[in-house]
Amino acid sequence: MKKLSSNKVFGGEHAQYSHYSDANKCEMTFAIFLPPIALGKGKEAQRVPVLYWLSGLTCNDQNFMQKAGAFRAAAELGIAIVSPDTSPRGEDVPDDPDSAYDFGLGAGFYLNATQAPWSTHFNMYDYILNELLPGVQQSFFVNKNSAISGQSMGGHGALIIGLKNPDVFTSISAFSPICNPVNCAWGQKAFTHYLGDDQQTWLQYDACHLLQNASKHIPILIDQGTDDNFLEDQLQPNNLIKVAQMSDYHLTLNMRSGYDHSYFFISSFIDEHLYFHATRLFAGE
């Protein structure tokens, strides 16, 4: 890994790294916050759990780190935060020919593409699970306790990756997630290009389908703003709630009056999400 930048913040360190990804066949960038307790020397240092944050459409590894205001609580709790980029990037990586924001660069949707030309590079699911997680565990003073969170497209990613890997993650949370991508324009566009026309293959990346068929239930917390412009057409949290009720899967959905889709919303409630994950990440230690 190559360190690109480093800043001291709340006694800890925020740093940005790049490394080559076999899954995405390109250089990938991620950011990490290490709390003070993970930076101590000798007996003073402790390995800490990690919260993985997945960002939304058009974002990269820095949006959450610079706008969410999560460092104070993470430093106090002793939790590392890792934020990867939202897609592969580079001269050889294909992009939407119409330069649309909801597909291509910045819009990897946290899946493994099966259709050309996307399948060579757009394999964010394998990248997160099989490269980023073990790479972080090997390279930094962290333990194997991991939780996952995200916003919008990243909330979709957190839900599907967490639900598909309940033995890897202690808990899942999301802000304004795309809950039922097979039934919204964002998901249908991305899935058609990345996965093809067979909609049965789409279900493996749909939170409603995965929740309905979950064999192991792990805690889920969702925050959604009532003034979110994308609420009804793209995000559809009510669909997930209906499936959860039918499947007897307990999850918490907070509808936050007056809040929108922005980082003003995320920064208002990010501490609650960190405390939610902390109770699970430190359980049994």
Side-chain angles (χ1 to χ4, degrees), residues 113-273:
T114 60
Q115 304 298 302
W118 316 104
S119 56
T120 299
H121 298 284
F122 282 77
N123 297 293
M124 289 296 293
Y125 179 87
D126 276 354
Y127 169 69
I128 299 294
L129 192 66
N130 299 326
E131 291 185 354
L132 186 63
L133 264 74
V136 167
Q137 291 172 2
Q138 293 168 10
S139 302
F140 302 98
F141 208 59
V142 302
N143 59 41
K144 293 186 177 181
N145 292 352
S146 302
I148 193 164
S149 184
Q151 184 243 3
S152 194
M153 179 188 71
H156 145 78
L159 286 170
I160 63 165
I161 294 175
L163 286 167
K164 288 165 75 74
N165 300 278
D167 293 326
V168 175
F169 300 98
T170 62
S171 46
I172 304 167
S173 76
F175 289 85
S176 314
I178 304 172
C179 294
N180 195 194
V182 301
N183 287 319
C184 76
W186 280 345
Q188 290 166 355
K189 177 180 180 179
F191 288 3
T192 298
H193 285 85
Y194 291 141
L195 303 174
D197 294 327
D198 182 1
Q199 297 187 13
Q200 283 298 117
T201 66
W202 299 3
L203 296 177
Q204 64 184 308
Y205 300 112
D206 184 273
C208 286
H209 175 76
L210 293 171
L211 192 112
Q212 183 177 13
N213 294 279
S215 58
K216 181 179 180 180
H217 295 192
I218 61 175
I220 299 177
L221 170 64
I222 297 174
D223 271 289
Q224 173 64 59
T226 62
D227 285 12
D228 191 321
N229 292 335
F230 305 113
L231 175 57
E232 299 299 331
D233 293 338
Q234 305 287 6
L235 307 179
Q236 303 173 345
N238 287 336
N239 292 0
L240 190 67
I241 291 299
K242 290 177 182 178
V243 172
Q245 292 171 343
M246 290 188 297
S247 305
D248 197 27
Y249 195 121
H250 176 73
L251 63 83
T252 299
L253 170 64
N254 297 317
M255 296 299 299
R256 303 294 189 176
S257 178
Y259 286 91
D260 57 20
H261 201 71
S262 71
Y263 268 88
F264 294 108
F265 172 41
I266 295 171
S267 64
S268 298
F269 300 102
I270 189 62
D271 285 4
E272 293 185 19
H273 283 240

